[in-house]
């Protein structure tokens, strides 16, 4: 590759941004977004420069009919990133799968509806 590591990260982030529309409007898109975004190089790009993309990956995990083996690892990422990024969707997953606080999870779900 002829580009710098920073350019590669920025290109990955742009690819992920532009692919959201395709993934969420495709029948198998939620599985495909998990497969792409959960790769180490893409997940690292999300964690370093685009943590807001965690919400879309979280949504893909939530609406995907079968829980994928990567889900436990993704919950660990949400825990790691809570100090720098959180929204109602990622907080909902943390409430359910980390804190086991179902009352707070219901509040977060209501925030998602707003």
């Amino acid at each position: 590759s002829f580009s710098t590591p920073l350019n590669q990260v920025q290109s990955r982030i742009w690819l992920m941004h532009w692919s959201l529309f395709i993934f969420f409007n495709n029948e198998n898109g939620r599985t495909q977004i998990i497969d792409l975004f959960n790769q180490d190089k893409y997940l690292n790009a999300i964690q370093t420069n685009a943590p807001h993309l965690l919400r879309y990956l979280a949504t893909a995990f939530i609406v995907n009919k079968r829980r994928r083996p990567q889900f436990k690892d993704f919950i660990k990422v949400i825990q790691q990133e809570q100090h720098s990024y959180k929204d109602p969707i990622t907080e909902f997953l943390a409430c359910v799968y980390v804190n086991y606080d179902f009352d707070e999870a219901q509040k977060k779900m209501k925030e998602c509806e707003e």
Side-chain angles (χ1 to χ4, degrees), residues 69-87:
Q70 303 102 319
F71 187 66
K72 283 184 180 180
D73 292 333
F74 179 67
I75 294 300
K76 290 176 188 173
V77 170
I78 287 176
Q79 279 183 279
Q80 292 170 349
E81 297 302 319
Q82 276 185 324
H83 66 280
S84 63
Y85 178 80
K86 55 186 167 185
D87 67 17

Side-chain angles (χ1 to χ4, degrees), residues 4 13 29 33 47 56 59 61 65 73 75 82 88-89 108:
T4 67
I13 291 169
I33 197 172
Q47 288 179 283
Y56 301 102
T59 302
F61 272 114
K65 290 183 181 176
D73 292 333
I75 294 300
Q82 276 185 324
I89 296 170
K108 296 301 172 187

Side-chain angles (χ1 to χ4, degrees), residues 34-47:
I34 290 169
D35 292 341
L36 178 65
F37 284 27
N38 221 30
Q39 292 179 35
D40 285 341
K41 59 187 173 185
Y42 288 94
L43 198 53
N44 288 337
I46 290 171
Q47 288 179 283

Side-chain angles (χ1 to χ4, degrees), residues 40-68:
D40 285 341
K41 59 187 173 185
Y42 288 94
L43 198 53
N44 288 337
I46 290 171
Q47 288 179 283
T48 57
N49 287 15
H52 61 280
L53 291 174
L54 287 173
R55 83 171 43 177
Y56 301 102
L57 185 52
T59 302
F61 272 114
I62 290 169
V63 299
N64 200 338
K65 290 183 181 176
R66 52 194 152 92
R67 294 285 181 227
R68 305 190 42 103

